[in-house]
């Protein structure tokens, strides 16, 4: 692996996480990955890094300043975006995790996720197009009828057609049960769609031959049970013979504070702007069965949630690396103990408060990377392990960890970038330095694929209660095992984790003791915060065990970062657990007119 230093990602930490800690090379013992080796994993990561450095990073600022815009009704995007996407697709990376039968490498998801973080850190706006396409293609492969798979999967896997997900609508937001877009079945088996969709990333552009929209639309009654999922392409026809424009029209562009390189759109289906034949409405093709649309969409949403967590982690890492370099080179002030004003000023990394900010951002960055890649490795086991019990347990753990893996990096990765700005001082707020863009880009991740509050409700309201709490029990067992092993080695941090994990179990049980969801979920975000901090503390401590016996600088850095997190960050969990244990209902019962 190319271990030379970079300000995009830390290749040494990535190598440690994958091989010394997660031991992803052991996945090659599974039949699906038997043709792989550490060498092939490294080749993919090195290739992706080169593409990130040569094609993605150079236009990151350009596509931020010259964001997608309309010219004569068409979306115009800086040319370097297409050049980068062509390089990525040309390397076969869009289909890297797919089956060999469709041209894929059957690469483990955890290796692909780690490799993709190079792209996300280098240029989050451009990286969104292929990552969305991969997720859409995976959904089609999993649930669509064979003829649809045969038509849509190959050009998407090749990067000739891009994919999107269409959920939200104006005025609906995340309340998907209230969606109004309607799909009506036709005599020929196709559907005609009418409705408006909002916040569609990659919804319209000229970067690919076609855009394959996956649209959640109502085919039945009210609520989520009336929703179905349909393929609605921008152009109708076969690959290489796209002869008819579908009735999908661009209403306008949304201009976000970050992710500016990713065109974000409002779309209209069936407006009549591009009528098809004698009928009205956009032509769509049903995926699977009617009424199961939301369940199918969760396949793409869960993949996207891990991708969002990874993007937040990647942006946190690059922000930290830029801040560290700046702190080492920026000379200002003198040591606290210096009495002589004639002494030369020192690099600001010598100041305790700058060290605090650097260590905090480092902990958030490395903790986020650990969380996302640990969860993704579990996903590989859940899908490919030969042991049915191991598959089931890994699947339960993925369910419990996914809301944390999406939300914790999204919440604290942006804090890492905020700290990076602060370390830069006044320079952090100007465009001469990229940290202000990292912050703007990362701030969106707390909203992408579900807000922090939505994932808090998911974790406390559903995930920790799945299978009578079996998933939470598995997580607690893993955390307790790490604390036990660390304690046996004399770690003074192990008890700080163990006592709080035990309390989380007690608080979870107490919250649901009377079965009242209002009382249980009134402070769900506090629960997600506390659980996330505990999970990350566990993973950092587990990484310390992986460097046991080592005295090199990297290992000492791991120990320092973990100790900082335990002593400076983890104590905030106590106040959160206190609030949860109190049964406080203020937010559920207050008179909103007083706010």
């Amino acid at each position: 692996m190319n271990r030379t230093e970079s300000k995009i990602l830390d290749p040494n930490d990535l190598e440690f996480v994958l091989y010394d800690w997660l031991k992803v090379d052991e996945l090659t013992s599974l039949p699906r990955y038997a043709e792989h080796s550490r060498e092939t994993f490294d080749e993919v990561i090195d290739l992706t890094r080169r593409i990130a450095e040569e094609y993605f990073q150079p236009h990151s600022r350009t596509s931020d300043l010259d964001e997608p815009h309309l010219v004569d009704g068409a979306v115009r995007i800086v040319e370097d975006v297409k050049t980068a996407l062509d390089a990525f697709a040309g390397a076969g990376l869009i289909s890297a995790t797919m089956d060999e039968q469709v041209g894929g490498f059957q690469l483990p998801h955890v290796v692909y996720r780690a490799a993709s973080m190079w792209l996300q850190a280098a240029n989050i706006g451009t990286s969104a197009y292929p990552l969305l396409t991969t997720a859409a293609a995976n959904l089609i492969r999993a649930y669509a009828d064979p003829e649809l798979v045969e038509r849509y999967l190959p050009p998407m896997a090749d990067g000739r057609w891009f994919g999107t997900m269409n959920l939200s609508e104006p005025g609906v937001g995340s309340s998907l049960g209230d969606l109004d877009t309607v799909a009506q079945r036709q005599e020929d088996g196709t559907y005609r769609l009418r409705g408006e969709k909002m916040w569609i990333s990659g919804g319209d552009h000229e970067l690919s031959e076609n855009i394959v929209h996956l649209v959640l639309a109502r085919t039945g009654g009210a609520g989520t049970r009336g929703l179905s999922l349909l393929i609605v392409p921008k152009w109708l026809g076969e690959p290489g013979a796209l002869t008819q424009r579908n009735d999908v029209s661009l209403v306008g562009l949304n201009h976000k504070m970050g992710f500016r390189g990713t065109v974000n759109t409002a779309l209209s289906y069936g407006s009549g702007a591009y009528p098809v034949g004698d009928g009205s409405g956009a032509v769509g093709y049903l995926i699977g069965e009617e009424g199961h649309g939301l369940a199918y969409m969760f396949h793409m949403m869960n993949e996207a949630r891990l991708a969002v967590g990874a993007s937040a982690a990647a942006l946190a890492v690059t922000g930290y690396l830029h801040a560290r370099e700046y702190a080492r080179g920026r000379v200002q002030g003198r040591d606290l103990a210096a009495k002589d004003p004639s002494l030369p000023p020192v690099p600001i990394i010598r100041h305790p408060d700058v060290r605090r900010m650097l260590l905090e951002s480092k902990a958030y960055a490395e903790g986020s990377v650990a969380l996302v890649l640990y969860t993704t490795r579990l996903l590989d086991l859940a899908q490919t392990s030969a042991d049915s019990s191991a598959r089931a347990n890994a699947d339960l753990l993925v369910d419990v960890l996914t809301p944390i893996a999406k939300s914790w990096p999204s919440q604290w990765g942006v804090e890492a970038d905020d700290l990076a700005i602060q370390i830069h001082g006044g320079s952090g707020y100007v465009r001469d330095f990229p940290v202000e863009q990292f912050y703007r880009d990362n701030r969106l991740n707390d909203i992408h694929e579900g807000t922090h509050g939505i994932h808090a409700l998911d974790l406390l309201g559903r995930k920790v209660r799945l299978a009578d709490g079996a998933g939470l029990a598995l997580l607690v067992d893993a955390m307790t095992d790490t604390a036990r092993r660390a304690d046996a080695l004399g770690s003074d941090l192990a008890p700080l984790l163990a006592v709080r994990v035990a309390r989380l179990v007690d608080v979870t049980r107490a919250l649901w003791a009377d079965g009242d969801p209002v009382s249980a979920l009134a402070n769900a975000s506090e629960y997600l915060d506390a659980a996330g901090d505990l999970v990350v503390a566990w993973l950092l401590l587990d990484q310390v065990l992986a460097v046991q016996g080592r005295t090199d600088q990297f290992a000492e850095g791991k120990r320092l970062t973990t100790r900082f997190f335990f002593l400076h960050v983890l104590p905030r969990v106590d106040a959160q657990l206190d609030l949860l244990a109190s049964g406080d209902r203020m937010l559920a019962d207050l008179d909103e007119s007083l706010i």
Side-chain angles (χ1 to χ4, degrees):
M1 183 181 293
N2 183 0
R3 296 177 60 193
T4 57
E5 283 196 6
S6 169
K7 287 192 294 181
I8 298 176
L9 281 185
D10 183 346
N12 294 301
D13 187 59
L14 205 59
E15 182 177 50
F16 163 78
V17 169
L18 289 175
Y19 299 115
D20 297 336
W21 181 49
L22 294 179
K23 302 187 185 304
V24 299
D25 44 332
E26 293 179 358
L27 291 170
T28 59
S29 65
L30 300 173
R32 180 172 179 82
Y33 308 128
E35 299 300 316
H36 284 290
S37 64
R38 176 167 177 168
E39 287 70 28
T40 64
F41 295 164
D42 284 348
E43 287 172 2
V44 171
I45 294 172
D46 278 345
L47 173 61
T48 309
R49 175 179 177 174
R50 288 198 299 272
I51 291 172
E53 291 174 337
E54 295 176 17
Y55 295 99
F56 278 64
Q57 195 278 332
H59 72 273
S60 177
R61 176 61 84 184
T62 305
S63 59
D64 178 70
L65 297 177
D66 187 9
E67 61 185 306
H69 56 281
L70 293 176
V71 177
D72 296 329
V75 178
R76 292 290 178 261
I77 298 173
V78 295
E79 293 182 2
D80 288 342
V81 174
K82 180 169 175 52
T83 301
L85 295 176
D86 287 346
F88 183 75
L93 293 172
I94 288 179
S95 60
T97 61
M98 298 179 191
D99 296 341
E100 290 179 352
Q101 294 92 318
V102 296
F105 304 158
Q106 294 187 186
L107 191 72
H109 292 285
V110 63
V111 177
Y112 182 68
R113 180 60 58 215
S116 297
M117 289 173 70
W118 279 103
L119 307 175
Q120 293 172 306
N123 188 326
I124 191 63
T126 298
S127 71
Y129 297 102
L131 295 181
L132 278 169
T133 299
T134 297
N138 285 336
L139 186 152
I140 290 171
R141 176 187 54 80
Y143 298 112
D145 291 342
E147 59 269 26
L148 291 177
V149 174
E150 184 177 353
R151 182 190 307 173
Y152 289 96
L153 191 58
M156 295 177 74
D158 290 343
R160 290 181 290 132
W161 294 6
F162 284 179
T164 74
M165 57 192 306
N166 283 234
L167 287 80
S168 188
E169 298 175 3
V172 171
S174 300
S175 183
L176 299 180
D178 296 324
L179 295 178
D180 289 327
T181 298
V182 174
Q184 294 179 326
R185 184 178 175 85
Q186 307 298 299
E187 291 183 2
D188 62 0
T190 64
Y191 286 72
R192 291 294 183 126
L193 285 83
R194 299 171 187 81
E196 311 293 321
K197 290 292 181 179
M198 176 60 85
W199 311 118
I200 311 306
S201 294
D204 194 71
H205 52 71
E206 305 299 326
L207 297 170
S208 59
E209 298 172 9
N210 202 0
I211 303 175
V212 181
H213 300 294
L214 300 188
V215 184
L216 206 57
R218 191 166 302 286
T219 56
T224 58
R225 294 183 179 181
L227 298 175
S228 299
L229 187 62
L230 300 102
I231 294 173
V232 187
K234 177 179 178 179
W235 289 90
L236 299 169
E238 302 295 328
L242 300 175
T243 57
Q244 171 70 59
R245 176 72 185 264
N246 204 356
D247 196 5
V248 183
S249 56
L250 176 66
V251 176
L253 304 184
N254 301 306
H255 299 284
K256 296 186 176 183
M257 67 181 285
F259 271 75
R260 291 180 177 176
T262 307
V263 62
N264 190 273
T265 64
L267 299 177
S268 179
Y269 289 86
S271 67
Y274 303 96
V276 180
D278 296 330
S280 63
V283 176
Y285 307 91
L286 182 69
I287 293 177
E289 301 177 18
E290 285 192 2
H292 294 268
L294 190 57
Y296 300 148
M297 184 58 88
F298 268 114
H299 187 284
M300 184 174 182
M301 289 169 65
N302 284 332
E303 183 172 340
R305 285 166 176 171
L306 287 178
V308 169
S311 73
L315 288 167
V317 172
T318 196
Y320 159 70
L321 293 173
H322 279 80
R324 185 181 66 180
E325 181 184 74
Y326 184 85
R328 287 173 172 172
R330 169 64 168 165
V331 175
Q332 180 178 306
R334 290 160 182 82
D335 286 332
L336 289 178
K339 303 296 185 182
D340 185 354
S342 67
L343 290 173
V346 298
I348 63 173
I349 200 170
R350 296 276 293 274
H351 302 317
D353 195 56
V354 174
R355 292 175 172 181
R356 172 190 64 81
M357 291 187 287
L358 282 169
L359 277 172
E360 189 171 348
S361 62
K362 185 174 189 282
Y364 291 146
E366 292 184 3
S368 295
V369 170
L371 175 57
V372 170
L373 294 184
Y374 180 89
T375 305
T376 310
R377 192 189 192 286
L378 285 172
L379 182 64
D380 280 314
L381 291 177
Q383 294 181 356
T384 61
S385 176
D387 184 330
S388 60
S389 177
R391 284 200 311 274
N393 287 343
D395 196 49
L396 279 171
L397 278 171
V398 169
D399 278 340
V400 173
L401 285 172
T402 293
I404 302 174
K406 185 275 172 187
S407 281
W408 197 91
S410 298
Q411 183 178 24
W412 299 110
V414 72
E415 178 64 17
D417 289 323
D418 184 56
L419 290 166
I421 291 175
Q422 192 70 16
I423 291 165
H424 278 73
S427 297
Y429 298 91
V430 297
R431 293 178 180 175
D432 303 77
F433 295 84
V435 288
E436 61 86 23
Q437 182 182 338
F438 299 152
Y439 177 87
R440 288 187 288 104
D441 287 340
N442 215 347
R443 183 59 186 85
L444 275 66
N445 285 316
D446 206 19
I447 295 175
H448 284 162
E449 300 309 319
T451 63
H452 189 69
I454 285 175
H455 287 287
L457 293 175
D458 182 42
L459 177 65
L460 181 55
R462 289 182 286 273
K463 298 302 175 61
V464 301
R465 305 176 72 202
L466 281 175
D468 294 324
L472 178 61
L474 287 168
L475 177 61
V476 168
D477 285 348
M479 297 165 77
T480 304
D481 177 68
T482 293
R484 186 183 303 114
R485 288 186 291 118
D487 188 60
L489 294 171
S491 170
D492 60 337
L493 301 181
L496 303 181
L497 175 64
V499 68
R500 291 180 171 103
V501 171
R503 192 168 182 218
L504 180 72
V505 173
D506 291 340
V507 166
T508 306
R509 185 181 300 113
L511 286 171
W512 286 106
D514 61 3
D516 178 11
V518 176
S519 294
L521 301 175
N523 297 296
S525 288
E526 299 284 348
Y527 185 91
L528 175 56
D529 291 343
D533 281 353
L534 285 171
V535 165
V536 170
W538 156 54
L539 296 176
L540 291 176
L541 185 60
D542 206 63
Q543 289 191 352
V544 167
L545 295 180
V547 297
Q548 179 67 24
R550 289 174 52 178
T551 58
D552 56 280
Q553 188 176 32
F554 180 88
E556 293 297 340
K558 279 292 177 186
R559 295 187 186 99
L560 174 63
T561 304
T562 300
R563 177 165 292 277
F564 177 87
F565 189 85
F566 269 73
L567 300 184
H568 288 254
V569 178
L570 190 59
R572 67 191 179 195
V573 167
D574 299 332
Q576 292 159 346
L577 294 178
D578 285 345
L579 176 64
L580 290 161
S582 74
D584 174 71
R585 288 178 53 106
M586 177 191 295
L587 300 178
D589 297 338
L590 62 79
D591 178 356
E592 62 265 26
S593 68
L594 301 178
I595 299 178

